[in-house]
Amino acid sequence: MIGIGATLFKRMAGGSRFSPSSLFSSGEQGVWYDPSDLTTMFQDDTSAAPAVIGQPVGTMLDKSQGLKLGSEVITNGDFAADSDWTKGTGWSIAGGVAVADDVTSQNLRQNGVALEENKVYSVTFTIVSISQGTVLGRFGGTPAVDSVAFDTAGTYTFFLRANATNSSFMLRGQSGFTGTVDNVSVEEVLGNHAIQTTSVNRPVLARHPEGGIRNLLSYTQEFDDWSKSNATVTANQIAAPDGTNTGYKVNENAATTPHYILQTGFTFTLGETYTQSVYAKAGTNNIVQLLGTTAAFGSQTWANFDLSDGTIGSKGTATAAAIQSVGEGWYRCSITTTVTATSGGSGGLTALVPLKTSSRVFSYEGNPSNYIYAWGAQLELGSTATQYQHVTDDLRYDITEPFGANSLNYLKFDGADDGMSLTGLTSPNTPITAWFGYSATNAESSDLKSLIDIQTGRTIFGASSSGTNQVGYYDGAWSGFATDANALKVLTYDLVEDNAKMRVDGIQEYSDTTYDQRAIGGQIGFFASYPLTAYHLAGNLYSCILRAAESTDKEIASTESYVAKKTGISL
Amino acid sequence: MNIFSTVIVTNAKKKAAQKVINDLYYVPATDDEAEHISTRGEGFFDIELKKGISKYWASSGAFQSEQLTALINNVSPYYVVIGNDFQAALDACGLTKVVVEQII
């Protein structure tokens, strides 16, 4: 009873969770980008199809204004009167709805709609009835901006970004559209959204487990994509350890030879210790053998595992082996060994062998009907098999831990040509507080790499500034400090006239009394220079908040905690 | 569908490659829309590469399948590889990226 009362008191006393929205509650200008919020990520810059993990992102909505909607820009969207709309062949307005009769490539158009370049609009309409064809929403202009086509009755809401030529909205009937439409609405989604118009220059929405990526294999439970040597695999044959029907059958073939599966293309370095593991379950065969590539690990890196009783059979003298029951007849089998010679080689080598005492890559006459079950392979540095990480493919954009850590979403910029433009962000001469949760792979050199590059006044937030392993800012000259520029971190800029501070993971690392406060405007580049032509930063963005205002120590600390959580860092 | 790839063209084919992309998005005039001449190609092949005194241009990232198909069929790129490792593509061709420094 006492505990409950204490909890209630704490809540009533103001124990509510911090939200970055409070940084903008007094009308402050800024941006808040959150890759963990999939409702703000879209694949392209026009039709705004939602982005999914592994897909490029062409539009990232800014949450600083709460994704609130602006004023209605459509007149007579409920078709209460037969006015305000120009009717193409087959379109009419009657009975409080727009009526289409066998319409193909003809529009119900409203001209003079107040659309602004680079603004994102929420478009809604209801297909009351439909008997054939499709209808889409379009911003008219050259180029026009289209939604997907809809062919079923219902209310649809989607986002479209306007370009400089768009000044009309239309319903466009296609394929003999016959039906009725009502309640058309177009409202701006308030905020300073980030866009990239060129498909190949878009960052990719990705995720990995909190704590980082350990599994070096790809397609870790999709054995179809592995190399097979006198073995075959069949997907979705049995319930896997995670309860999904994704367990594979691994069969031997009829040849008299070793029978195994593997992945190629690894490089192993002398002295490093690796652990390889796989979930396995007895089928017609009871024994599975794990082994390492000879050139790197020598001939004594292997072990047999008996899946009928969970015991370890014969093994190489250089190998530590472990087997653990995980229920339903599944065992996680692992071997640990140290590289004896730097070499390229294979990983995930998993062999069928007939006996618990069979030797390494034992050659025998196979039977195509014989099999074991397998799932969830992992190859990692270190001497223990850590929580299994599922790596869905060789692009490595989607990595999760079925039994372990939460996932962190991020945008992956390639450092070659990826970057985004921030639209609409302007301010007169202003202090700036900015928080970035990110990691990099090309920031350690003295080449400039931009987190954000603002054209007006040329203020640059540099993940790499003017020296080797230097992070800093530019306000007419570079100011920075030495740090591990590539490391995963929360970097905070607290820039006020004649008082600049930079912090890493909540600790102040730099200060000066020379900061020259600037305005914000013009083009603004994100992970590249403002024209998106240079200073490309290769790395992962987990969270970004920029506030065109001075922030209190408490606001800075609270926001650092928020960004750290999104970035997988404990402050 | 998006296909993560790196496409490299010779300097002589850069403009032709950009035109292939532009042509994909050309829209002829209709009754109620003017002709649209696309400039999307200008965002492609903007990474300058070099090998000796020879100049090449690359795009790397999420190509849409029709973009990749059109480039392969119409331009004969110097190098095309499916995947997301830009540096590996450069290494395979012995090319280096030309760092474009802007004057601040």
Side-chain angles (χ1 to χ4, degrees), chain A residues 43 54-56 107 109 138 141-143 170 198-201 204 395 397 414-417 448 458 474 478 529 531 533-535, chain B residues 2 4 31-36 40 43-44 46-47 59-64 67 83-84 86 97 99-104:
Chain A
Q43 288 188 38
Q55 289 298 313
N107 304 316
R109 174 197 292 260
R138 166 177 284 190
T142 50
M170 59 192 85
T198 301
S199 59
V200 291
N201 296 349
V204 179
L395 293 171
Y397 290 134
D414 66 4
D417 53 8
L448 304 180
R458 204 68 200 270
Y474 182 87
W478 279 103
S529 64
T533 54
Y535 306 168
Chain B
N2 293 300
F4 292 94
D31 289 346
D32 54 7
E33 296 288 348
E35 173 190 55
H36 172 56
R40 286 199 198 192
F44 287 70
D46 56 355
I47 306 173
S59 267
S60 183
F63 283 83
Q64 288 161 6
Q67 295 169 344
N84 66 343
F86 177 64
K97 183 180 175 185
V99 176
V100 180
E101 288 295 346
Q102 293 175 325
I103 298 170
I104 292 177

Short mmCIF file of all heavy atoms in Angstrom, two decimals, chain A residues 43 54-56 107 109 138 141-143 170 198-201 204 395 397 414-417 448 458 474 478 529 531 533-535, chain B residues 2 4 31-36 40 43-44 46-47 59-64 67 83-84 86 97 99-104:
data_model
loop_
_atom_site.label_atom_id
_atom_site.label_comp_id
_atom_site.label_asym_id
_atom_site.label_seq_id
_atom_site.Cartn_x
_atom_site.Cartn_y
_atom_site.Cartn_z
N GLN A 43 9.64 6.64 -48.64
CA GLN A 43 10.65 6.11 -49.56
C GLN A 43 11.11 7.12 -50.60
O GLN A 43 12.23 7.03 -51.07
CB GLN A 43 10.12 4.87 -50.28
CG GLN A 43 10.02 3.65 -49.39
CD GLN A 43 9.69 2.41 -50.17
OE1 GLN A 43 10.16 2.22 -51.27
NE2 GLN A 43 8.84 1.58 -49.61
N GLY A 54 15.37 -1.27 -44.60
CA GLY A 54 16.09 -1.73 -45.78
C GLY A 54 15.78 -0.94 -47.02
O GLY A 54 16.35 -1.22 -48.08
N GLN A 55 14.89 0.05 -46.92
CA GLN A 55 14.53 0.85 -48.08
C GLN A 55 15.11 2.27 -47.95
O GLN A 55 15.30 2.77 -46.85
CB GLN A 55 13.01 0.95 -48.21
CG GLN A 55 12.36 -0.36 -48.63
CD GLN A 55 12.83 -0.80 -50.00
OE1 GLN A 55 12.88 -0.02 -50.94
NE2 GLN A 55 13.21 -2.07 -50.11
N PRO A 56 15.38 2.91 -49.09
CA PRO A 56 15.87 4.29 -49.03
C PRO A 56 14.81 5.24 -48.50
O PRO A 56 13.60 4.95 -48.60
CB PRO A 56 16.21 4.60 -50.49
CG PRO A 56 15.38 3.66 -51.28
CD PRO A 56 15.24 2.42 -50.46
N ASN A 107 -9.58 14.78 -65.29
CA ASN A 107 -9.40 15.28 -63.93
C ASN A 107 -10.60 16.08 -63.44
O ASN A 107 -11.27 16.77 -64.22
CB ASN A 107 -8.17 16.20 -63.87
CG ASN A 107 -6.92 15.50 -64.35
OD1 ASN A 107 -6.67 14.35 -64.00
ND2 ASN A 107 -6.14 16.19 -65.17
N ARG A 109 -10.53 19.12 -61.26
CA ARG A 109 -9.40 19.95 -60.89
C ARG A 109 -9.84 21.21 -60.14
O ARG A 109 -10.84 21.83 -60.48
CB ARG A 109 -8.67 20.39 -62.17
CG ARG A 109 -7.53 21.38 -61.96
CD ARG A 109 -7.18 22.06 -63.28
NE ARG A 109 -6.56 21.14 -64.22
CZ ARG A 109 -5.25 21.06 -64.44
NH1 ARG A 109 -4.44 21.86 -63.77
NH2 ARG A 109 -4.77 20.23 -65.31
N ARG A 138 -3.63 14.23 -57.25
CA ARG A 138 -2.50 14.78 -58.00
C ARG A 138 -2.34 16.27 -57.70
O ARG A 138 -3.33 17.00 -57.67
CB ARG A 138 -2.71 14.57 -59.49
CG ARG A 138 -1.78 15.39 -60.37
CD ARG A 138 -1.96 15.12 -61.86
NE ARG A 138 -1.36 13.85 -62.24
CZ ARG A 138 -1.21 13.47 -63.53
NH1 ARG A 138 -1.64 14.25 -64.51
NH2 ARG A 138 -0.65 12.32 -63.81
N GLY A 141 0.98 20.27 -62.31
CA GLY A 141 2.16 21.05 -62.64
C GLY A 141 3.08 20.20 -63.49
O GLY A 141 2.71 19.11 -63.93
N THR A 142 4.26 20.70 -63.76
CA THR A 142 5.24 19.92 -64.51
C THR A 142 6.55 19.89 -63.75
O THR A 142 7.30 20.86 -63.81
CB THR A 142 5.48 20.52 -65.90
OG1 THR A 142 5.74 21.91 -65.77
CG2 THR A 142 4.29 20.34 -66.79
N PRO A 143 6.84 18.84 -63.05
CA PRO A 143 6.08 17.60 -63.06
C PRO A 143 4.90 17.63 -62.10
O PRO A 143 4.93 18.31 -61.08
CB PRO A 143 7.09 16.57 -62.60
CG PRO A 143 7.99 17.34 -61.69
CD PRO A 143 8.09 18.72 -62.28
N MET A 170 -6.02 17.85 -58.07
CA MET A 170 -7.05 17.17 -58.87
C MET A 170 -7.23 15.73 -58.44
O MET A 170 -6.31 15.08 -57.92
CB MET A 170 -6.70 17.25 -60.36
CG MET A 170 -5.39 16.65 -60.74
SD MET A 170 -4.91 17.10 -62.42
CE MET A 170 -4.12 18.68 -62.16
N THR A 198 16.90 12.66 -55.51
CA THR A 198 17.57 11.68 -56.38
C THR A 198 17.64 10.33 -55.67
O THR A 198 18.19 10.22 -54.57
CB THR A 198 18.99 12.16 -56.73
OG1 THR A 198 18.89 13.42 -57.39
CG2 THR A 198 19.69 11.16 -57.64
N SER A 199 17.10 9.30 -56.34
CA SER A 199 16.92 8.01 -55.66
C SER A 199 18.23 7.43 -55.14
O SER A 199 18.28 6.90 -54.03
CB SER A 199 16.24 7.02 -56.60
OG SER A 199 17.00 6.82 -57.77
N VAL A 200 19.30 7.52 -55.94
CA VAL A 200 20.55 6.87 -55.52
C VAL A 200 21.27 7.64 -54.42
O VAL A 200 22.24 7.13 -53.85
CB VAL A 200 21.51 6.67 -56.71
CG1 VAL A 200 20.97 5.64 -57.65
CG2 VAL A 200 21.77 7.98 -57.42
N ASN A 201 20.82 8.85 -54.13
CA ASN A 201 21.48 9.65 -53.10
C ASN A 201 20.74 9.62 -51.77
O ASN A 201 21.02 10.43 -50.88
CB ASN A 201 21.62 11.10 -53.57
CG ASN A 201 22.51 11.22 -54.79
OD1 ASN A 201 23.19 10.27 -55.16
ND2 ASN A 201 22.51 12.38 -55.42
N VAL A 204 19.52 4.99 -46.28
CA VAL A 204 18.70 3.78 -46.15
C VAL A 204 18.24 3.65 -44.70
O VAL A 204 19.03 3.85 -43.76
CB VAL A 204 19.50 2.54 -46.57
CG1 VAL A 204 18.65 1.28 -46.41
CG2 VAL A 204 19.96 2.68 -48.02
N LEU A 395 23.12 -7.14 -47.50
CA LEU A 395 23.18 -5.69 -47.39
C LEU A 395 23.32 -5.25 -45.93
O LEU A 395 23.76 -4.14 -45.65
CB LEU A 395 21.93 -5.06 -48.01
CG LEU A 395 21.80 -5.24 -49.52
CD1 LEU A 395 20.42 -4.78 -49.99
CD2 LEU A 395 22.88 -4.46 -50.25
N TYR A 397 21.20 -4.33 -43.66
CA TYR A 397 20.41 -3.20 -43.18
C TYR A 397 19.43 -3.61 -42.07
O TYR A 397 18.89 -2.76 -41.40
CB TYR A 397 19.62 -2.57 -44.32
CG TYR A 397 20.47 -1.84 -45.34
CD1 TYR A 397 20.27 -2.03 -46.70
CD2 TYR A 397 21.47 -0.97 -44.94
CE1 TYR A 397 21.04 -1.36 -47.64
CE2 TYR A 397 22.25 -0.30 -45.86
CZ TYR A 397 22.03 -0.50 -47.22
OH TYR A 397 22.80 0.15 -48.13
N ASP A 414 25.89 6.69 -47.10
CA ASP A 414 27.01 5.91 -47.64
C ASP A 414 28.32 6.69 -47.74
O ASP A 414 29.37 6.11 -48.02
CB ASP A 414 26.65 5.30 -48.99
CG ASP A 414 26.45 6.34 -50.09
OD1 ASP A 414 26.66 7.54 -49.85
OD2 ASP A 414 26.07 5.92 -51.21
N GLY A 415 28.30 8.00 -47.53
CA GLY A 415 29.54 8.77 -47.61
C GLY A 415 30.02 9.00 -49.03
O GLY A 415 31.01 9.71 -49.24
N ALA A 416 29.34 8.40 -50.00
CA ALA A 416 29.72 8.60 -51.40
C ALA A 416 28.94 9.75 -52.00
O ALA A 416 29.52 10.71 -52.51
CB ALA A 416 29.47 7.32 -52.19
N ASP A 417 27.62 9.67 -51.93
CA ASP A 417 26.79 10.74 -52.49
C ASP A 417 25.49 10.94 -51.71
O ASP A 417 24.67 11.77 -52.10
CB ASP A 417 26.47 10.47 -53.96
CG ASP A 417 25.87 9.09 -54.18
OD1 ASP A 417 25.57 8.41 -53.18
OD2 ASP A 417 25.72 8.70 -55.35
N LEU A 448 36.78 17.51 -44.41
CA LEU A 448 35.56 17.99 -43.77
C LEU A 448 34.40 17.04 -44.04
O LEU A 448 34.22 16.56 -45.16
CB LEU A 448 35.23 19.39 -44.30
CG LEU A 448 36.34 20.43 -44.15
CD1 LEU A 448 35.88 21.77 -44.70
CD2 LEU A 448 36.77 20.55 -42.70
N ARG A 458 26.78 30.54 -43.31
CA ARG A 458 27.67 29.38 -43.39
C ARG A 458 28.06 28.87 -42.00
O ARG A 458 29.22 29.01 -41.54
CB ARG A 458 28.92 29.69 -44.21
CG ARG A 458 29.55 28.42 -44.79
CD ARG A 458 28.67 27.78 -45.84
NE ARG A 458 28.93 26.39 -46.11
CZ ARG A 458 29.79 25.93 -47.02
NH1 ARG A 458 30.47 26.77 -47.75
NH2 ARG A 458 29.95 24.64 -47.22
N TYR A 474 31.81 25.50 -37.63
CA TYR A 474 32.36 26.56 -38.48
C TYR A 474 31.44 27.77 -38.40
O TYR A 474 30.22 27.66 -38.59
CB TYR A 474 32.44 26.07 -39.92
CG TYR A 474 33.03 27.07 -40.89
CD1 TYR A 474 34.40 27.16 -41.10
CD2 TYR A 474 32.20 27.94 -41.61
CE1 TYR A 474 34.93 28.07 -41.99
CE2 TYR A 474 32.72 28.86 -42.50
CZ TYR A 474 34.09 28.92 -42.70
OH TYR A 474 34.61 29.82 -43.58
N TRP A 478 36.99 27.43 -38.40
CA TRP A 478 36.71 26.18 -37.70
C TRP A 478 37.16 26.25 -36.25
O TRP A 478 38.24 26.77 -35.94
CB TRP A 478 37.43 25.02 -38.38
CG TRP A 478 36.70 24.52 -39.60
CD1 TRP A 478 37.00 24.77 -40.90
CD2 TRP A 478 35.53 23.71 -39.60
NE1 TRP A 478 36.08 24.17 -41.72
CE2 TRP A 478 35.17 23.50 -40.96
CE3 TRP A 478 34.74 23.13 -38.61
CZ2 TRP A 478 34.06 22.75 -41.34
CZ3 TRP A 478 33.64 22.38 -38.99
CH2 TRP A 478 33.30 22.19 -40.33
N SER A 529 27.49 18.72 -47.63
CA SER A 529 27.51 20.17 -47.72
C SER A 529 26.14 20.68 -48.15
O SER A 529 25.31 19.92 -48.64
CB SER A 529 28.56 20.60 -48.74
OG SER A 529 28.19 20.12 -50.02
N PRO A 531 24.99 22.26 -50.79
CA PRO A 531 24.46 21.90 -52.12
C PRO A 531 24.44 20.38 -52.34
O PRO A 531 24.13 19.93 -53.45
CB PRO A 531 25.42 22.56 -53.10
CG PRO A 531 26.49 23.22 -52.30
CD PRO A 531 26.38 22.72 -50.90
N THR A 533 26.96 18.38 -52.58
CA THR A 533 27.96 17.99 -53.56
C THR A 533 29.29 17.57 -52.93
O THR A 533 30.17 17.07 -53.63
CB THR A 533 28.24 19.15 -54.52
OG1 THR A 533 28.57 20.31 -53.75
CG2 THR A 533 27.04 19.44 -55.39
N ALA A 534 29.48 17.78 -51.65
CA ALA A 534 30.77 17.45 -51.01
C ALA A 534 30.54 17.23 -49.51
O ALA A 534 29.41 17.30 -49.02
CB ALA A 534 31.77 18.58 -51.24
N TYR A 535 31.63 16.95 -48.81
CA TYR A 535 31.61 16.75 -47.35
C TYR A 535 30.66 15.63 -46.94
O TYR A 535 30.04 15.66 -45.87
CB TYR A 535 31.21 18.03 -46.61
CG TYR A 535 32.00 19.27 -46.92
CD1 TYR A 535 31.56 20.51 -46.48
CD2 TYR A 535 33.19 19.22 -47.63
CE1 TYR A 535 32.27 21.66 -46.75
CE2 TYR A 535 33.91 20.37 -47.91
CZ TYR A 535 33.45 21.59 -47.48
OH TYR A 535 34.14 22.73 -47.76
N ASN B 2 13.60 -1.16 -55.54
CA ASN B 2 14.93 -0.58 -55.39
C ASN B 2 16.00 -1.67 -55.43
O ASN B 2 15.85 -2.72 -54.82
CB ASN B 2 15.02 0.16 -54.05
CG ASN B 2 14.13 1.39 -54.04
OD1 ASN B 2 14.31 2.28 -54.85
ND2 ASN B 2 13.16 1.41 -53.15
N PHE B 4 20.05 -1.95 -54.72
CA PHE B 4 21.26 -1.26 -54.28
C PHE B 4 22.42 -1.66 -55.20
O PHE B 4 22.76 -2.83 -55.30
CB PHE B 4 21.56 -1.59 -52.82
CG PHE B 4 20.55 -1.00 -51.89
CD1 PHE B 4 19.46 -1.73 -51.48
CD2 PHE B 4 20.68 0.30 -51.47
CE1 PHE B 4 18.50 -1.18 -50.65
CE2 PHE B 4 19.73 0.87 -50.63
CZ PHE B 4 18.64 0.13 -50.23
N ASP B 31 -3.91 16.90 -72.59
CA ASP B 31 -4.89 17.97 -72.70
C ASP B 31 -4.76 19.01 -71.60
O ASP B 31 -4.95 20.20 -71.82
CB ASP B 31 -6.32 17.39 -72.67
CG ASP B 31 -6.61 16.64 -73.96
OD1 ASP B 31 -5.83 16.81 -74.92
OD2 ASP B 31 -7.58 15.89 -73.98
N ASP B 32 -4.45 18.54 -70.39
CA ASP B 32 -4.44 19.48 -69.27
C ASP B 32 -3.08 19.56 -68.58
O ASP B 32 -2.97 20.13 -67.51
CB ASP B 32 -5.53 19.11 -68.25
CG ASP B 32 -5.42 17.67 -67.81
OD1 ASP B 32 -4.43 17.02 -68.19
OD2 ASP B 32 -6.31 17.21 -67.10
N GLU B 33 -2.05 18.99 -69.15
CA GLU B 33 -0.72 19.09 -68.56
C GLU B 33 0.28 19.42 -69.65
O GLU B 33 0.24 18.85 -70.74
CB GLU B 33 -0.32 17.76 -67.90
CG GLU B 33 -1.17 17.35 -66.72
CD GLU B 33 -0.93 18.19 -65.49
OE1 GLU B 33 0.06 18.94 -65.47
OE2 GLU B 33 -1.73 18.10 -64.55
N ALA B 34 1.21 20.30 -69.34
CA ALA B 34 2.27 20.61 -70.29
C ALA B 34 3.28 19.46 -70.34
O ALA B 34 3.31 18.61 -69.45
CB ALA B 34 2.97 21.90 -69.87
N GLU B 35 4.06 19.45 -71.37
CA GLU B 35 5.15 18.48 -71.49
C GLU B 35 6.09 18.63 -70.29
O GLU B 35 6.35 19.73 -69.82
CB GLU B 35 5.91 18.78 -72.78
CG GLU B 35 7.17 17.97 -72.98
CD GLU B 35 7.98 18.48 -74.15
OE1 GLU B 35 8.31 19.69 -74.17
OE2 GLU B 35 8.27 17.69 -75.04
N HIS B 36 6.61 17.50 -69.79
CA HIS B 36 7.58 17.56 -68.70
C HIS B 36 8.91 17.00 -69.16
O HIS B 36 9.00 15.82 -69.50
CB HIS B 36 7.09 16.78 -67.49
CG HIS B 36 8.14 16.65 -66.43
ND1 HIS B 36 8.78 17.74 -65.88
CD2 HIS B 36 8.70 15.57 -65.84
CE1 HIS B 36 9.66 17.34 -64.99
NE2 HIS B 36 9.64 16.02 -64.96
N ARG B 40 16.03 14.77 -63.79
CA ARG B 40 16.45 13.89 -62.71
C ARG B 40 17.84 13.31 -62.93
O ARG B 40 18.57 13.02 -61.98
CB ARG B 40 15.46 12.72 -62.58
CG ARG B 40 14.15 13.09 -61.96
CD ARG B 40 13.46 11.84 -61.47
NE ARG B 40 12.04 12.07 -61.26
CZ ARG B 40 11.26 11.22 -60.62
NH1 ARG B 40 11.74 10.09 -60.16
NH2 ARG B 40 9.98 11.49 -60.46
N GLY B 43 21.10 14.43 -61.13
CA GLY B 43 21.47 13.98 -59.78
C GLY B 43 22.27 12.69 -59.80
O GLY B 43 22.76 12.25 -58.76
N PHE B 44 22.37 12.07 -60.99
CA PHE B 44 23.11 10.82 -61.10
C PHE B 44 24.51 11.09 -61.65
O PHE B 44 24.75 12.08 -62.32
CB PHE B 44 22.37 9.87 -62.05
CG PHE B 44 21.11 9.29 -61.48
CD1 PHE B 44 19.99 10.08 -61.27
CD2 PHE B 44 21.04 7.94 -61.15
CE1 PHE B 44 18.84 9.55 -60.74
CE2 PHE B 44 19.88 7.41 -60.62
CZ PHE B 44 18.78 8.21 -60.42
N ASP B 46 27.36 11.88 -60.27
CA ASP B 46 27.99 13.11 -59.78
C ASP B 46 29.18 12.81 -58.87
O ASP B 46 29.72 13.70 -58.23
CB ASP B 46 26.96 13.98 -59.04
CG ASP B 46 26.28 13.24 -57.90
OD1 ASP B 46 26.54 12.03 -57.73
OD2 ASP B 46 25.48 13.87 -57.19
N ILE B 47 29.60 11.54 -58.81
CA ILE B 47 30.80 11.20 -58.05
C ILE B 47 31.94 11.05 -59.05
O ILE B 47 31.93 10.13 -59.88
CB ILE B 47 30.63 9.90 -57.27
CG1 ILE B 47 29.39 9.95 -56.38
CG2 ILE B 47 31.88 9.62 -56.43
CD1 ILE B 47 29.07 8.63 -55.71
N SER B 59 27.45 6.52 -59.70
CA SER B 59 26.31 6.66 -58.81
C SER B 59 26.24 5.40 -57.98
O SER B 59 26.44 4.30 -58.50
CB SER B 59 25.00 6.84 -59.59
OG SER B 59 24.71 8.19 -59.79
N SER B 60 25.94 5.56 -56.71
CA SER B 60 25.88 4.41 -55.82
C SER B 60 24.72 4.58 -54.87
O SER B 60 24.59 5.62 -54.23
CB SER B 60 27.19 4.29 -55.03
OG SER B 60 27.17 3.15 -54.21
N GLY B 61 23.87 3.59 -54.79
CA GLY B 61 22.72 3.68 -53.90
C GLY B 61 21.55 2.90 -54.44
O GLY B 61 21.73 1.90 -55.15
N ALA B 62 20.35 3.36 -54.10
CA ALA B 62 19.13 2.61 -54.42
C ALA B 62 18.63 3.01 -55.82
O ALA B 62 17.87 3.95 -55.96
CB ALA B 62 18.07 2.86 -53.36
N PHE B 63 19.08 2.28 -56.81
CA PHE B 63 18.52 2.47 -58.15
C PHE B 63 17.14 1.82 -58.19
O PHE B 63 16.93 0.75 -57.63
CB PHE B 63 19.40 1.79 -59.21
CG PHE B 63 20.64 2.54 -59.54
CD1 PHE B 63 21.77 2.42 -58.75
CD2 PHE B 63 20.70 3.36 -60.66
CE1 PHE B 63 22.94 3.10 -59.06
CE2 PHE B 63 21.85 4.05 -60.98
CZ PHE B 63 22.98 3.92 -60.17
N GLN B 64 16.24 2.47 -58.90
CA GLN B 64 15.00 1.79 -59.20
C GLN B 64 15.26 0.85 -60.36
O GLN B 64 16.10 1.13 -61.23
CB GLN B 64 13.90 2.80 -59.49
CG GLN B 64 13.47 3.51 -58.20
CD GLN B 64 12.75 4.81 -58.41
OE1 GLN B 64 12.46 5.17 -59.54
NE2 GLN B 64 12.48 5.51 -57.33
N GLN B 67 15.52 2.16 -63.77
CA GLN B 67 16.71 2.99 -64.02
C GLN B 67 17.91 2.11 -64.36
O GLN B 67 18.64 2.37 -65.33
CB GLN B 67 17.01 3.84 -62.78
CG GLN B 67 15.94 4.86 -62.43
CD GLN B 67 16.16 5.48 -61.06
OE1 GLN B 67 16.92 4.95 -60.24
NE2 GLN B 67 15.48 6.58 -60.80
N GLY B 83 24.86 -4.40 -54.93
CA GLY B 83 25.32 -4.41 -53.54
C GLY B 83 25.51 -2.99 -53.06
O GLY B 83 25.33 -2.04 -53.82
N ASN B 84 25.89 -2.86 -51.81
CA ASN B 84 25.93 -1.52 -51.22
C ASN B 84 27.33 -1.06 -50.87
O ASN B 84 27.49 -0.08 -50.15
CB ASN B 84 25.04 -1.48 -49.97
CG ASN B 84 25.59 -2.36 -48.87
OD1 ASN B 84 26.42 -3.23 -49.12
ND2 ASN B 84 25.13 -2.14 -47.66
N PHE B 86 30.29 0.70 -51.89
CA PHE B 86 30.85 1.61 -52.90
C PHE B 86 32.37 1.45 -53.00
O PHE B 86 32.94 1.38 -54.09
CB PHE B 86 30.48 3.04 -52.54
CG PHE B 86 31.06 4.08 -53.45
CD1 PHE B 86 30.71 4.13 -54.79
CD2 PHE B 86 31.97 5.02 -52.98
CE1 PHE B 86 31.24 5.10 -55.64
CE2 PHE B 86 32.50 5.98 -53.81
CZ PHE B 86 32.13 6.02 -55.15
N LYS B 97 38.25 7.99 -55.65
CA LYS B 97 37.27 9.08 -55.66
C LYS B 97 38.02 10.41 -55.62
O LYS B 97 38.96 10.58 -54.84
CB LYS B 97 36.35 8.96 -54.46
CG LYS B 97 35.25 10.00 -54.41
CD LYS B 97 34.36 9.81 -53.17
CE LYS B 97 33.34 10.93 -53.08
NZ LYS B 97 32.54 10.85 -51.85
N VAL B 99 38.20 13.93 -54.41
CA VAL B 99 37.60 14.71 -53.32
C VAL B 99 37.35 16.13 -53.82
O VAL B 99 38.26 16.81 -54.27
CB VAL B 99 38.51 14.72 -52.09
CG1 VAL B 99 37.92 15.61 -51.00
CG2 VAL B 99 38.72 13.30 -51.57
N VAL B 100 36.09 16.51 -53.75
CA VAL B 100 35.70 17.86 -54.20
C VAL B 100 35.65 18.76 -52.98
O VAL B 100 34.76 18.64 -52.15
CB VAL B 100 34.33 17.83 -54.90
CG1 VAL B 100 33.95 19.24 -55.35
CG2 VAL B 100 34.35 16.87 -56.07
N GLU B 101 36.61 19.62 -52.84
CA GLU B 101 36.61 20.55 -51.71
C GLU B 101 35.92 21.84 -52.13
O GLU B 101 36.19 22.38 -53.19
CB GLU B 101 38.04 20.85 -51.27
CG GLU B 101 38.71 19.68 -50.56
CD GLU B 101 38.06 19.33 -49.24
OE1 GLU B 101 37.25 20.14 -48.73
OE2 GLU B 101 38.35 18.25 -48.72
N GLN B 102 35.04 22.30 -51.28
CA GLN B 102 34.38 23.57 -51.55
C GLN B 102 35.10 24.68 -50.82
O GLN B 102 35.68 24.47 -49.77
CB GLN B 102 32.93 23.51 -51.10
CG GLN B 102 32.12 22.54 -51.94
CD GLN B 102 30.71 22.42 -51.40
OE1 GLN B 102 30.48 22.47 -50.20
NE2 GLN B 102 29.75 22.26 -52.29
N ILE B 103 35.06 25.83 -51.40
CA ILE B 103 35.66 26.99 -50.74
C ILE B 103 34.65 27.53 -49.74
O ILE B 103 33.54 27.89 -50.11
CB ILE B 103 36.03 28.08 -51.76
CG1 ILE B 103 37.07 27.53 -52.73
CG2 ILE B 103 36.53 29.33 -51.07
CD1 ILE B 103 37.33 28.42 -53.92
N ILE B 104 35.04 27.54 -48.51
CA ILE B 104 34.12 28.03 -47.48
C ILE B 104 34.25 29.54 -47.38
O ILE B 104 35.34 30.06 -47.33
CB ILE B 104 34.44 27.39 -46.12
CG1 ILE B 104 34.11 25.91 -46.17
CG2 ILE B 104 33.67 28.06 -45.01
CD1 ILE B 104 34.45 25.15 -44.93
#
